[in-house]
Each structure stands twice: as C-alpha cells, then as structure tokens.
Amino acid sequence: MHSVPEPILATKLYIPPPALRLAPRPRLVERLAAGTRRRLTLIAAPAGFGKTTLVSSWVAGIEAGEGPRVAWLALEREESDLARFFTYVVAALRTVAPGAGAGVLEMLQSGRPSAPQALAAALVNDLAALPGEIVLVLDDLHAVESAAVDEALAFLLDHQPPQLHLVVTTRSDPHLPLARLRARDQLAEIRAADLRFTLAEASDFLTRAMRLELPPASIAALEARTEGWIAGLQLAALSMEGRRAEGAGGMAAFVDSFTGSHRFVLDYLVEEVLNQQPAAMQRFLLRTSILERLCGPLCDAVVRDAATPGQATLEAIERANLFIVPLDNERRWYRYHHLFADLLRQSLAQTADLDENEAHRRASAWLEANGLALEAFHHAVAANDTARAAQLVAGQGMPLYLQGAAAPVLDWLATLPRAELDAQPALWVMWASALTMSGAQSSTIEEKLAAAEATLSGVAAGEEPRDLAGQIAAIRAMLAVPLNDVETIIAQAQQARALLRADNLPMRTTTAWSLGYAYQIRGERAAAGLAYAEAIDVAQASGNLMVELGATTCLGQIREAEGDLHEAEGQYRRVLEMVGDPPWPVACEAYLGLARLHYQWNELETAQSFGERSLELALEMQNVDTPAACGIFLARLHLARGDAQAATAALAQAEAIARRHGFEHQMGALVAMRVRILLRQGQMAEAAHLLAAAGDDASSRARVLLAQGDAAAALAAIEPWRDEAERRQWADERLAALVLQAVAHEAAGATVEAVQVLGEALSAGEAGGHVRVFVDEGEPMVRLLREVAAEGRHASYAHRLLAALGAGAARSASPQPLVEPLSERELEVLRLLATELSGPEIARKLHVSLNTLRTHTKNIYSKLDANSRLGAVHRAEALGLL
C-alpha cells in the first residue's frame, strides 16, 4: 500500500468545525440534508463563498447514531495521482467504516498500474457489503486535475451502492456526467447564487458575528457591492475593525469607497489587513505563505525570527481570524484560506524581504527530516534545486514514484530543460524508470534511455556512470518481458548484472527476475530456477515484496513443469499467504497455477474456482497476458467436462485478448486448444486445416494424424518431441509425449510397446499425482490401463486412474456409500470440518468466501442427513469417508 505520513493523513481527513463567526444557515443545511437522497450533491462556487463551511455546519448538526456516517477528504493537487487519490479515499472511509476499501488497497499493493474503472469497481464491491449509510465528502475537487480520477468517479457514480452518497465541493464543475445525473434526478446542486448572503444574513454576520455597529444603509451597500460574497464581507469587516477609533463617520467613508470586482476588492482588502498588522506579523505571514500546511516547528525553520515563535504566532493568527484554518483538533497543523494564501504569495513576490528559494530549501529539509518526502520534494522543486529534488525522488531504497507520487515526479521531469537533463544523465534514467513503473509506452521510455546513453557517452568512466548504464540495461530487460523477447531480456539482464553497483538492490532484484523469466521461456529450467532463487534472496534482503511474489510464482511454475506438483502447490500457496485475503491482482498467476494443479489432480470444481478467480484478478491488471492464459485453461476444463460449446466461448475470449494486446506468444497454445475442441466435435478436416494454416506443434499434429487413422505418422511426429524433452530434461513435456506415444502404439496395434511406454509414463506421473494427462485420452487409455493393471505394474495408480475415467470427477477410487455422493470440493470441506479450524479459517484456507463455505456445508449436511458440524463428522466417519 502507498504509505501515508500520519501528520498529513490526519489533516486531510479532518472535518473542519463551522466558522465561529458564521451563523448556521438552516435553509442551505436543510437542502444539503435532503440532497443525500440522490447520488451526488454538488456545491460549486468561486472561492470565498463558504462551501466548506456549509458542509461542516451540516456535519456538525448530525446527531451521533441518528444520521449517516460522514467520511471527509480534503483534496489537493497531489491527489491527481490516481493511486494516491484512492489511497486517501480509502483512508477517509476507514474513519467511519474500519476495513473498508480492502480490495482497492490490494490492487494498489500489486505494484502494477490499475485501470481507473477497475479501482472504482473494487471500491463499489467493498462498499456494497457495508451496513448503514455513508456520506463521502470530497472537499476542493477542483484541485485534482486528472482524467483518470474523473473516469473513476464517473464509474463510481454510475455503479454507486445505495448506502453511499457523494458530496463534492469545487470552484468549477467537475468532468462528471452531470447532465445525465440531472436528467435522472440523481443530482442535488448548490451554486454561488444559493450561497450568497441575503441582506438579512449579511446584517446578522456584520452586526452579531463581527460586532460592528453599522446603519442599515451601510449594510445594504456592502451587501450590494459584494453581491453577498462572504469572503468580501469578511475582509471588509476586518478592515473596518481597524477603523473603530474613527467612529461612524470613518466606517461610513470606508463603505462609500468600497467598490470594484471581487479580485480588485480582495487585493485592496488584503493590503488593508496586512497593513494593520505589526511588522513582525507581516513578515511571518509573508514568509510562511510558501507553505501548503503550517505547524509551529516548520514555521520556525522557515521564518527564523525569535519575535514570532511558530506555534504561538499561529494561535494568535487564529484568534485574530486572519483567514487561517485548523487542520486537526489539537491545533498542530493549519493552512491559510486559499484566497488569503494566494494574495500573500503575490505580496511576497513583490518584496525583497525573503530569498524564496532558500525558504523552500529550509522547508524541504524540515519536511524530509520529519518523514514527509513528497512535500519535501515539492519544496525542492519550488526552490529550483534539481539535485535535491532528484535525491528525494530516489528515496532511501524505495523511489518516490513507487509511493503513489508518479504524477508529480513525471510532471517535474517534463518541465526540466534539455540542458539540465543532459547535464545529469541520472535524471533521464529516473524518467525512464518512472515511466516504466507507470505503464507508459515502450517507445516513450526508449526515447529517455537513448537520451541517457547519448549523454553518458561524453562522461568520464566511473562508478556512477557505470551504474547508470546498468540501470538502462535493467530497464530494457524489463521492457522486453511482456514481449517474450528472450534474447533481448538475457542480453540486457546480463549486461545489467555486470554494470550495476553491488548495493543497488532494487535494480539487481528486478534484473534477476527478468533473467529467470527469459531462461524459463527458453526452456532452460535449471538456470531459471537458480535465477529465481537469487531474486527471492535479494528481494527479501531489500524488502522488495513485488519481486519476491513474482519470483516465487515463477519458481512454482518451474516445479510444476518438473513434475513436482506438490512442491509447486507449496510455492503458489506461499504467494497467496504473502498477499493475504482477499488477494492482490498480482496473485492471478499463482491462482492459475493452483487451477492447473487441481485440474491435473482431477479436482475439477476446485480447479474451476481457482481458474475463475485468476481471471477475475488478471482482468484488473494492464498489459499482462494472464487473462488469455486463463481463457485457454478454462477452455480445457470445459472440454474435460464435455461442454465443447463453453470451451469454444472461453477460447474465443482468450484469443480476442491475445490479439487485442499483441500477445503473439499465446497463439500456439490457442491453436493447440482449438484443435482439441475440433477433434472432440468430430471436425477432423477443420482441425487439420487449422493446424496447417496456423501452427504445427508435435502434440496437435499427432492427434490429427491419429484421428485420421495414421498411427505410424503420429508415432513419427511424437518421437522427436519425446527425444527433445528427454534431452532437455523437460519432465512435463516428456510425460505428455509418453502418454500420447502409448495411445499411438495402441492405435497401431502394438499393444506390448504401448504398455511398456505407458509404464514409463506412470512411473513419471505417480509421484506428482498426475491424473488428467492420462484421463483426457479417454477410451484408449481405459484399455491400456487395464492391461497395465492386469500385469500388476503400478496397479494401485492404474486402478485410481481407471476409477477417474469411470467416475469423471472422483479423485479417489473408493465408491461413496451415499445416494448422492459428495463432490471433491465437498470432501475437501468435510476433511476441514473434522479439524479444529473455525469457519472463517476454513474459508481462508480454501480461498473462498464465507457464504460459499456455508453453501458447501449445507450441501454436506443434506447429503449426510446431519444437522450439525459434529453430526456430519460422526456420520462421515461411520461411512468411512474420513
């Protein structure tokens, strides 16, 4: 999860109290309360119209336990980063609904870019399960400038669960489907015209709240000239407070001179307010105006004036009502009113009172020392201190762009002049790395890498240039992974390993994983296993969980290919343990691995459950081929159940994904699966034509030849396949070749040879518990297994496979003494019911929801004629099922 510094988190989730000098406005509070019956309440008006004050007044009037729970999020420009936006939204929701948003955080923790709609969908699913009504207030949405956030919010509004209501305050209309919501009566709106003070409200504010004694004519003049603009009235009142000594005549003269537009009035009145402050206070206000948030120690670091100690001065400013807003109940953090801050900064720019760059550097140093790296980065950028900004982006082992700050980092890099980038080639590499992690196009990333190389060519040799060259190679290796460009991955990864500093663990970790992946694709499994083991070791040493997850998953795939299915299961389940429950999207490959294992063990229900979960998670990710692999797997599972139509549909979806994303490396598996389906449907000519046009792997060619009755040609096709598998020590390919070779011998009438080869296959498959590789061959395998069993070789294993061929889904050869037998999944649940595990613990172990577990338990009770867990266990023991 993106880390959120506690002080900043507290200020962003703090619900500000209603302004002390503003009386409640019942007519607007009632409208706001009534608006919660719709999906969205939009409060849109320029600055200074009391938008936030109105909402906080409504929240303050909600009685505990009587109204909705209110989650508040004060937005700023940093939340234009989609991941950061959702991190804070979840944090806000958790103030009223602990545990909310778990699915969103899991997606963010996956380390891969997530689509806006996928994050919004995860949030909708999480919120739909929550009891009671929740209001989410997004204060100052105009500060967020992000098409991705707009898209996510639009999706949220379209699929909003009934218990959620959204309240948005903004200076300008957001890019949301307002017209559609308005037409459907799903939008409540409060605009500037609604927020303007009426004459009565202006009179009450000036006389009661500001304690000014003004004649009705002066009040009416001020109300008319400000057009009910609350900030203008407040500034006018503050100016008049300084004229009390002049009496009624002086205040009347001020009112007569008060005219002009909002901007003119604001400029004039801020000068009036500032001019009334002591010189030390003016310096404090101007110097601290560079800060987005203020606290005493931070102000001390920036101002460095003993006459205005930070905390005491902030409290004095609040007492004077000088447009300061507290951000927590303890009065530690504050911010200036946005308008006031803008004008202070304008005034600061016109004075020579302060070296702004130096002030920003001081602020940056204090913020960094206090764990606020992103805020420190912003001040380093404002100070034009490129070296410091780059240092903060690099972080202490975890770059800032991996902590939910990709957008501001990329924005900053894009503003740097070419000359400055060329002067510091590390910036080009940093840009490429940030783009890689944010899912940018490869061509865009390659442009930055090429620029870095061109700059480095003129730099003297040394450790830093050498390490940068290693980083460039490591990034290029990563870019080649989605393309399965094995030669590029290996060449670049090996170059990276030779050039990277020994202590550059983040890059060394990803390089080891990239290298392992390339070896795996090339079939060099032993080398791949060693590379993955190295990646896991380095990842654990550097705390790089994402690489550890990826390497552990791939190590499971290696063990699976080696035929050690139980060891592979251990690796995959270790991944699930690391990601937790519910799982992150990055766990999709581990789920797919478990689906393949349970399919091979003939536990089809469990296999389907894992396969569908893998597909669900994979679709939440971008630029991965797992959805296509899931479709191919599910097609095979449907075919095993005899449902060729469902298999065809699943395969069509997989092919569409592969073609849409250019995953050409999946086409061979797609063709092989389609050949199997066509042969099952008796469409031999179509299968042969497809194979000739689109692919020609040995297994598919042999199957078509067997279907055509040419067993000799099939054997000729299988022989080199088996030879290569044995030469390269590919256990999975060798087992598949042996099984098909045995079937081909049987078709050729060579029963002795067929039984001999099948015996080799049984020897290879028994330890791992392989079932489907035999069972999928159907009736020819039944005859061969009977021959093997009759000879007394592998008798137990052969009988078990024969039972599976006869019963379809049974993993055990023992018949169940029940009218309606328990499914394999129900047997698995039953075994766990016999333990001391609780219901939620069993659900987690099986990776199913508690409701799904209850359904299985209910079915077990019904089939066993039991009405309790203990009764079901006793009945199962009596029947020999346990």
Side-chain angles (χ1 to χ4, degrees):
M1 181 179 63
H2 298 291
S3 60
V4 181
E6 287 300 325
I8 299 307
L9 179 61
T11 64
K12 298 181 76 64
L13 309 185
Y14 175 69
I15 302 178
L20 297 178
R21 297 192 181 188
L22 292 179
R25 309 178 70 186
R27 63 185 178 90
L28 292 178
V29 170
E30 289 175 8
R31 282 184 60 182
L32 187 55
T36 58
R37 294 193 298 269
R38 297 177 174 88
R39 291 190 175 190
L40 171 65
T41 295
L42 178 68
I43 305 173
F49 270 87
K51 301 181 291 294
T52 299
T53 294
L54 170 62
V55 181
S56 64
S57 296
W58 169 61
V59 173
I62 297 175
E63 295 185 17
E66 297 296 325
R69 295 168 289 168
V70 180
W72 188 290
L73 176 57
L75 294 165
E76 296 176 274
R77 61 177 179 172
E78 286 82 2
E79 281 74 72
S80 297
D81 183 275
L82 182 67
R84 191 176 182 87
F85 175 82
F86 270 99
T87 299
Y88 281 126
V89 166
V90 170
L93 290 168
R94 288 189 168 192
T95 62
V96 296
V104 176
L105 295 185
E106 288 144 18
M107 293 180 67
L108 296 176
Q109 288 171 326
S110 72
R112 291 180 179 268
S114 296
Q117 291 193 4
L119 286 166
L123 183 62
V124 168
N125 292 336
D126 287 341
L127 293 177
L130 296 177
E133 185 180 355
I134 294 178
V135 173
L136 173 60
V137 178
L138 299 179
D139 192 25
D140 288 342
L141 183 60
H142 60 268
V144 176
E145 298 179 359
S146 167
V149 171
D150 294 339
E151 181 183 345
L153 286 176
F155 184 93
L156 176 62
L157 286 166
D158 284 341
H159 302 84
Q160 194 166 315
Q163 60 266 58
L164 176 68
H165 179 74
L166 202 60
V167 174
V168 166
T169 72
T170 177
R171 294 183 189 178
S172 57
D173 278 5
H175 299 291
L176 297 174
L178 300 181
R180 184 167 74 241
L181 293 169
R182 198 177 288 124
R184 296 175 179 174
D185 195 29
Q186 295 172 342
L187 173 66
E189 298 176 82
I190 297 176
R191 299 282 180 173
D194 306 303
L195 290 165
R196 288 190 175 99
F197 269 178
T198 63
L199 179 57
E201 288 172 329
S203 176
D204 181 71
F205 171 71
L206 291 170
T207 58
R208 186 190 63 79
M210 301 302 294
R211 297 185 175 88
L212 294 173
E213 296 179 4
L214 295 173
S218 293
I219 294 174
L222 283 174
E223 189 277 330
R225 288 171 183 172
T226 60
E227 299 178 355
W229 181 40
I230 300 171
L233 282 168
Q234 186 177 10
L235 285 165
L238 285 170
S239 295
M240 285 187 288
E241 281 186 338
R243 287 179 163 79
R244 289 183 187 274
E246 300 176 16
M251 285 196 279
F254 172 82
V255 172
D256 290 340
S257 67
F258 187 82
T259 184
S261 67
H262 286 175
R263 196 69 201 177
F264 173 84
V265 170
L266 189 59
D267 289 348
Y268 172 73
L269 290 177
V270 166
E271 289 299 323
E272 287 287 306
V273 172
L274 279 176
N275 288 340
Q276 294 179 31
Q277 305 304 316
M281 178 63 81
Q282 288 187 44
R283 286 196 302 273
F284 183 92
L285 290 169
L286 290 172
R287 292 178 180 183
T288 57
S289 67
I290 69 167
L291 303 172
E292 295 290 339
R293 298 180 186 82
L294 308 97
C295 69
L298 175 56
C299 291
D300 289 334
V302 172
V303 177
R304 295 189 177 182
D305 188 344
T308 51
Q311 187 62 35
T313 306
L314 290 173
E315 292 172 1
I317 293 172
E318 183 181 13
R319 287 194 298 271
N321 201 30
L322 283 178
F323 292 93
I324 197 168
V325 180
L327 296 177
D328 56 34
N329 286 317
E330 291 75 24
R331 296 310 201 255
R332 286 196 299 263
W333 287 89
Y334 296 84
R335 69 167 173 83
Y336 291 125
H337 187 288
H338 297 309
L339 288 173
F340 191 52
D342 288 345
L343 268 295
L344 286 174
R345 289 165 190 155
Q346 286 185 18
S347 300
L348 176 64
Q350 296 166 7
T351 70
D353 176 68
L354 178 70
D355 180 346
E356 283 193 57
N357 285 348
E358 178 58 28
H360 281 296
R361 276 191 285 270
R362 292 175 190 168
S364 180
W366 187 92
L367 290 162
E368 181 189 13
N370 286 273
L372 303 174
L374 180 57
E375 286 69 23
F377 164 74
H378 282 307
H379 282 284
V381 171
N384 297 311
D385 191 337
T386 303
R388 177 168 181 77
Q391 172 194 330
L392 288 163
V393 171
Q396 300 297 319
M398 181 64 74
L400 201 56
Y401 49 80
L402 292 181
Q403 301 179 49
V409 170
L410 290 171
D411 289 345
W412 166 64
L413 288 165
T415 65
L416 296 178
R418 177 82 186 217
E420 191 159 10
L421 291 164
D422 287 343
Q424 300 184 60
L427 294 174
W428 283 119
V429 178
M430 179 184 292
W431 199 348
S433 183
L435 286 169
T436 302
M437 297 307 173
S438 63
Q441 293 292 325
S442 296
S443 57
T444 303
I445 299 167
E446 183 56 43
E447 289 175 8
K448 316 307 177 196
L449 296 176
E453 284 183 319
T455 304
L456 284 170
S457 64
V459 176
E463 185 180 52
E464 183 178 356
R466 183 180 175 85
D467 186 70
L468 288 175
Q471 292 184 48
I472 292 171
I475 293 170
R476 284 192 171 129
M478 284 189 284
L479 293 178
V481 166
L483 304 175
N484 271 23
D485 185 350
V486 172
E487 300 309 319
T488 298
I489 297 171
I490 292 177
Q492 294 294 333
Q494 288 177 338
Q495 184 178 355
R497 295 177 83 175
L499 296 174
L500 287 168
R501 288 196 317 267
D503 62 350
N504 192 341
L505 295 184
M507 280 294 181
R508 284 195 167 276
T509 306
T510 55
T511 299
W513 178 84
S514 299
L515 195 57
Y517 182 82
Y519 286 140
Q520 182 179 358
I521 296 300
R522 203 159 70 175
E524 297 177 17
R525 293 169 179 174
L530 291 174
Y532 288 140
E534 177 188 344
I536 291 170
D537 288 342
V538 181
Q540 290 174 342
S542 61
N544 193 328
L545 178 59
M546 296 314 303
V547 171
E548 184 181 359
L549 289 170
T552 303
T553 300
C554 291
L555 196 57
Q557 293 168 351
I558 296 295
R559 299 295 175 254
E560 181 184 351
E562 291 173 340
D564 193 346
L565 304 192
H566 299 293
E567 174 62 24
E569 181 186 28
Q571 296 291 341
Y572 293 141
R573 290 198 178 274
R574 182 164 170 263
V575 171
L576 300 192
E577 289 171 4
M578 284 192 283
V579 300
D581 182 28
W584 308 346
V586 75
C588 60
E589 281 287 350
Y591 272 97
L592 182 56
L594 288 168
R596 290 191 301 266
L597 296 181
H598 285 276
Y599 175 86
Q600 192 56 245
W601 292 329
N602 203 30
E603 298 172 354
L604 301 189
E605 288 185 25
T606 304
Q608 182 169 352
S609 175
F610 278 124
E612 290 174 348
R613 188 67 171 121
S614 174
L615 180 60
E616 178 185 336
L617 293 171
L619 289 173
E620 295 177 4
M621 302 174 70
Q622 297 177 342
N623 301 323
V624 296
D625 65 352
T626 311
C630 286
I632 296 169
F633 166 77
L634 290 171
R636 185 171 188 182
L637 186 142
H638 290 311
L639 193 64
R641 285 178 160 163
D643 192 344
Q645 184 176 356
T648 301
L651 199 64
Q653 182 183 11
E655 184 172 359
I657 292 170
R659 293 192 183 282
R660 184 164 63 247
H661 295 284
F663 296 138
E664 293 298 323
H665 55 278
Q666 291 286 357
M667 298 312 297
L670 283 163
V671 170
M673 193 65 240
R674 190 168 298 284
V675 166
R676 284 199 174 210
I677 294 173
L678 290 171
L679 291 176
R680 180 68 62 87
Q681 293 173 322
Q683 300 179 48
M684 185 176 18
E686 290 85 347
H689 177 74
L690 173 64
L691 194 61
D696 193 24
D697 71 284
S699 174
S700 297
R701 186 164 71 255
R703 291 184 186 283
V704 169
L705 290 168
L706 284 172
Q708 293 172 338
D710 193 345
L715 285 167
I718 294 169
E719 186 174 357
W721 172 28
R722 174 182 171 178
D723 289 344
E724 183 183 19
E726 291 179 341
R727 177 176 57 81
R728 304 194 66 175
Q729 298 182 334
W730 292 346
D732 56 342
E733 292 291 321
R734 177 176 180 270
L735 176 58
L738 287 170
V739 169
L740 196 55
Q741 191 175 40
V743 171
H745 277 304
E746 198 265 349
T751 304
V752 174
E753 290 84 351
V755 170
Q756 178 184 345
V757 172
L758 182 59
E760 293 182 63
L762 291 170
S763 296
E766 186 169 13
H770 292 75
V771 176
R772 288 306 313 189
V773 68
F774 299 97
V775 169
D776 285 344
E777 301 306 323
E779 187 58 32
M781 186 55 60
V782 173
R783 294 191 294 270
L784 286 173
L785 286 170
R786 284 173 178 162
E787 290 285 347
V788 170
E791 292 183 6
R793 294 191 297 158
H794 305 285
S796 176
Y797 189 22
H799 282 301
R800 181 173 161 217
L801 294 175
L802 284 168
L805 277 159
R811 186 174 174 182
S812 170
S814 302
Q816 296 179 25
L818 294 173
V819 174
E820 186 180 0
L822 298 177
S823 69
E824 184 61 35
R825 188 58 155 177
E826 288 164 355
L827 283 170
E828 192 174 3
V829 172
L830 178 61
R831 295 183 194 106
L832 292 172
L833 290 175
T835 69
E836 296 182 356
L837 293 176
S838 67
E841 288 170 336
I842 293 174
R844 283 194 294 271
K845 189 172 183 64
L846 295 173
H847 303 285
V848 299
S849 69
L850 198 54
N851 284 336
T852 300
L853 176 65
R854 288 175 181 144
T855 300
H856 286 310
T857 304
K858 182 179 178 181
N859 291 339
I860 291 169
Y861 289 0
S862 175
K863 292 178 180 181
L864 292 177
D865 192 23
N867 53 23
S868 69
R869 177 173 176 172
L870 185 60
V873 171
H874 287 164
R875 173 75 170 145
E877 288 173 342
L879 293 172
L881 296 176
L882 291 175

